């Protein structure tokens, strides 16, 4: 089979745990494993788009770690959601060098859910800020993002690990799942309950897509971090970095079967 790209990254959703993506990418970079294309959902879309835009992982970490959760959203009168993502859209517009997906230096696919028609959409063109925000829009916490008259919400509703978006395009797919299945303690409030329910749903729909990766990296020490603790971004980054190093330091990409299974 002739592939369009050699290596692709598929980056999962995971809310605050998405900072672990940056640590994984840093480790992959240090092991000389670079993507030719990326696909991201929710937190993975945020991490991936900055990399595709030409920002180093530590630089992206700095952008977010200096801010607080409510710098990216604001309360609104509840109708379709409790919070608006307009501030996140403004943040992306002001920090990204490129404004549309098709102009990014690295091809990047953003996955979101078409809430009106009930299916996953893989955006390859169009305004970056709105599409990444749509991919991050957990219902009913956030109000849907409207693009061309259609309401979009988090891609994790249907596909929290976007391997299918690039599987047929890439010789090698590296999946990074920062939401592995595991029950954990949670606070008894509406935010925690909403996010817990969403995480369970998103975790369940990754089962088949995990098996389609040539390499799967899953940091497992992320459950102690609250979903609004941006001040813990550096710690989460290092968890992802350590998890990737644990695999890559014992893996020879040119020989091991886990890495080039499909290439063989």
């Amino acid at each position: 089979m002739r592939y369009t790209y050699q290596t692709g990254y598929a980056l999962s959703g995971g809310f605050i745990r998405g900072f672990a993506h940056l640590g994984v990418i840093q480790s992959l970079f240090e092991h000389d494993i670079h993507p030719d294309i990326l696909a991201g959902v929710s937190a993975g879309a945020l991490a991936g788009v900055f990399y595709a835009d030409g920002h180093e992982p530590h630089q992206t970490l700095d952008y977010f770690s200096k801010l607080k959760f409510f710098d990216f959203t604001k309360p609104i009168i509840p109708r379709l959601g409790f919070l608006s993502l307009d501030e996140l859209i403004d943040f992306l517009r002001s920090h990204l060098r490129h404004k549309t997906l098709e102009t990014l230096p690295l091809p990047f696919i953003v996955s979101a859910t078409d809430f009106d028609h009930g299916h996953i959409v893989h955006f390859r063109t169009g305004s970056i800020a709105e599409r990444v925000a749509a991919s991050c829009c957990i219902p009913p916490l956030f109000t849907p993002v409207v693009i061309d008259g259609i309401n979009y919400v988090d891609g994790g509703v249907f596909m929290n690990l976007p391997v299918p978006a690039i599987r047929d395009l890439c010789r090698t797919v590296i999946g990074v799942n920062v939401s592995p299945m595991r029950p954990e303690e949670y606070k008894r409030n509406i935010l925690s309950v909403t996010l817990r329910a969403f995480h369970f749903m998103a975790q369940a729909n990754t089962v088949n897509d995990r098996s389609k990766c040539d390499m799967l990296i899953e940091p497992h020490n992320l459950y102690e971090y609250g979903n609004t603790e941006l001040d813990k971004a550096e710690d989460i980054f290092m968890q992802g970095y350590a998890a990737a190093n644990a695999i890559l330091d014992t893996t020879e990409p040119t020989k091991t079967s886990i890495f080039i299974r499909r290439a063989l």
Side-chain angles (χ1 to χ4, degrees):
M1 180 175 179
R2 185 181 293 255
Y3 294 98
T4 305
Y5 304 102
Q6 180 67 27
T7 303
Y9 294 176
L11 309 178
S12 79
F15 214 85
I16 194 71
R17 299 164 189 166
F19 288 113
H21 283 305
L22 298 174
V24 171
I25 291 172
Q26 180 65 35
S27 175
L28 289 164
F29 177 80
E30 292 175 6
H31 287 82
D32 199 27
I33 303 172
H34 303 274
D36 302 300
I37 187 172
L38 302 97
V41 164
S42 198
L46 270 176
V49 76
F50 277 93
Y51 187 85
D53 193 51
H55 303 259
E56 296 294 333
H58 278 290
Q59 183 182 14
T60 304
L61 181 68
D62 288 342
Y63 293 151
F64 286 91
S65 60
K66 297 174 183 177
L67 301 171
K68 297 180 180 180
F69 174 74
F70 284 104
D71 290 325
F72 298 103
T73 186
K74 66 179 179 181
I76 57 174
I77 298 174
R79 190 169 75 90
L80 298 177
F82 294 98
L83 301 167
S84 164
L85 287 174
D86 289 346
E87 277 71 20
L88 175 60
I89 291 174
D90 290 341
F91 173 83
L92 291 169
R93 285 174 176 164
S94 64
H95 285 79
L96 292 172
R97 299 162 185 160
H98 299 80
K99 304 307 177 187
T100 60
L101 290 169
E102 60 267 33
T103 59
L104 288 168
L106 274 176
F108 184 66
I109 299 173
V110 179
S111 298
T113 296
D114 179 337
F115 201 60
D116 294 342
H117 303 96
H119 62 85
I120 194 75
V121 174
H122 303 299
F123 289 111
R124 293 170 170 82
T125 62
S127 174
I128 294 172
E130 288 81 1
R131 283 154 179 78
V132 170
S135 185
C136 297
C137 185
I138 299 174
L141 182 60
F142 302 116
T143 189
V145 176
V146 180
I147 300 173
D148 296 331
I150 296 174
N151 290 285
Y152 288 93
V153 298
D154 199 299
V157 171
F158 281 106
M159 185 183 294
N160 201 50
L161 184 62
V163 176
I166 58 173
R167 177 65 276 176
D168 292 339
L169 300 174
C170 298
R171 185 179 182 89
T172 299
V173 173
I174 300 173
V176 185
N177 180 24
V178 299
S179 292
M181 184 73 77
R182 174 184 161 185
E184 73 266 22
E185 291 298 318
Y186 64 99
K187 297 177 181 178
R188 269 59 171 179
N189 59 53
I190 190 168
L191 175 61
S192 292
V193 170
T194 298
L195 292 175
R196 182 175 175 83
F198 187 84
H199 285 159
F200 281 158
M201 176 186 65
Q203 288 165 353
N205 72 39
T206 65
V207 173
N208 290 332
D209 294 330
R210 290 169 74 254
S211 66
K212 298 174 184 176
C213 300
D214 297 301
M215 173 180 282
L216 180 64
I217 300 172
E218 291 186 321
H220 283 271
N221 299 317
L222 304 177
Y223 295 94
E224 62 187 89
Y225 301 103
N227 283 303
T228 60
E229 293 183 304
L230 268 70
D231 58 312
K232 301 294 180 62
E234 178 72 31
D235 293 343
I236 299 170
F237 177 101
M238 292 308 299
Q239 293 283 3
Y241 182 72
N245 281 339
I247 293 175
L248 297 169
D249 287 345
T250 57
T251 298
E252 298 178 54
T254 58
K255 297 180 182 179
T256 182
S257 60
I258 189 174
F259 188 76
I260 58 170
R261 181 175 64 237
R262 293 183 184 275
L264 295 173

